[in-house]
Amino acid sequence: VSTQSTGLFTIDITARIPTLCREMVKTIHSVHKVDIPAAVTVVAKARNVTVSGPRGKLERNFRHLQVDIRVIGKQVQVEVWWGDRKHLACVRTVCTHIKNMMIGVTEGYQYNMRLVYAHFPIITKIDNNDTTLEVTNFLGTKINKLVKMADGVSITRSETVKDQLELRGNDVEKVSQSAAAVFAAARVKGKDIRKFLDGIYVSQKGLIKHFKDQ
């Protein structure tokens, strides 16, 4: 019987069955592999991945995801069984994180930031072995703002470009978070940002080797 009467209207039962089936469909097995470079060593144990290379070592925990991570030969294999659409998306996300870790321990990441000001020059001071940045005289204020870089991230002043800061590190997420913290320290508040453009902005980002020839 394809219809059911409720007294007020009739419901077509068979029309809803394909929709419900599509929502419950799960993929039996999904697997992605990441090639390991020659100078990199990867150890995966209980979804805790450690990547070692010429520039150092990075470690990341994926225990919040229900995936299997194994090192087979010179490849990292990430697989999931009986996963739905959102579960399958985690497989490629884990592979991307592992790829970024491999690039970080072999080549490293760099973010370039420029000091932008119209009248009051922004004064910056780097201390504690290139791990902290002090920002003063922003928009002429007397407030000193101290920004601490994330672990493994260093900040230096460019030797060739005026008013440019360079952030370097192996973990792309920590480098980008440190750049965001520097941007937030010199942010215009209570004014029209279309007119007051003072601040410290990211101008370039990429691998360290891409900036050595500039």
Side-chain angles (χ1 to χ4, degrees):
V1 179
S2 61
T3 59
Q4 178 178 355
S5 178
T6 62
L8 299 177
F9 52 87
T10 302
I11 302 176
D12 189 352
I13 300 177
T14 58
R16 297 191 306 168
I17 293 178
T19 303
L20 295 176
C21 292
R22 284 196 299 268
E23 293 177 356
M24 294 185 293
V25 167
K26 291 186 177 182
T27 303
I28 298 177
H29 184 219
S30 177
V31 58
H32 289 275
K33 298 179 180 180
V34 181
D35 295 331
I36 302 175
V40 176
T41 303
V42 180
V43 177
K45 183 177 180 180
R47 286 177 287 181
N48 192 40
V49 180
T50 303
V51 181
S52 303
R55 291 181 53 87
K57 182 174 68 174
L58 291 176
E59 186 175 352
R60 189 175 184 118
N61 193 337
F62 296 100
R63 292 181 180 177
H64 60 287
L65 299 176
Q66 296 180 359
V67 296
D68 294 334
I69 305 175
R70 303 174 183 175
V71 178
I72 303 176
K74 296 297 293 183
Q75 287 183 331
V76 179
Q77 178 175 298
V78 182
E79 59 183 347
V80 62
W81 295 84
W82 296 102
D84 54 12
R85 181 175 59 85
K86 292 184 178 180
H87 199 183
L88 295 176
C90 297
V91 177
R92 191 175 296 274
T93 300
V94 173
C95 292
T96 302
H97 284 308
I98 297 175
K99 287 181 181 179
N100 292 339
M101 295 168 66
M102 294 179 182
I103 296 174
V105 298
T106 54
E107 300 178 358
Y109 295 95
Q110 177 173 333
Y111 274 52
N112 293 342
M113 305 189 73
R114 297 294 299 270
L115 309 179
V116 179
Y117 51 86
H119 179 70
F120 297 101
I122 302 175
I123 300 174
T124 57
K125 182 181 179 182
I126 300 174
D127 292 324
N128 297 332
N129 297 325
D130 301 337
T131 58
T132 59
L133 176 70
E134 185 178 1
V135 181
T136 59
N137 199 40
F138 178 66
L139 291 178
T141 60
K142 302 300 181 181
I143 301 175
N144 298 341
K145 295 186 178 180
L146 185 65
V147 182
K148 295 182 179 180
M149 300 296 105
D151 295 337
V153 180
S154 63
I155 182 170
T156 57
R157 189 173 285 104
S158 176
E159 298 179 356
T160 58
V161 182
K162 180 184 177 182
D163 294 334
Q164 177 170 291
L165 302 175
E166 298 175 351
L167 288 76
R168 298 186 181 92
N170 297 341
D171 193 335
V172 64
E173 294 186 6
K174 292 184 178 180
V175 176
S176 60
Q177 285 294 330
S178 299
V182 174
F183 167 77
R187 188 177 180 183
V188 178
K189 298 180 181 179
K191 300 181 184 297
D192 189 356
I193 59 175
R194 296 172 297 179
K195 180 66 176 178
F196 294 87
L197 302 177
D198 294 32
I200 306 177
Y201 301 96
V202 174
S203 59
Q204 293 174 308
K205 57 184 176 180
L207 303 179
I208 294 178
K209 65 178 183 179
H210 294 161
F211 300 99
K212 289 184 177 181
D213 298 334
Q214 296 182 0

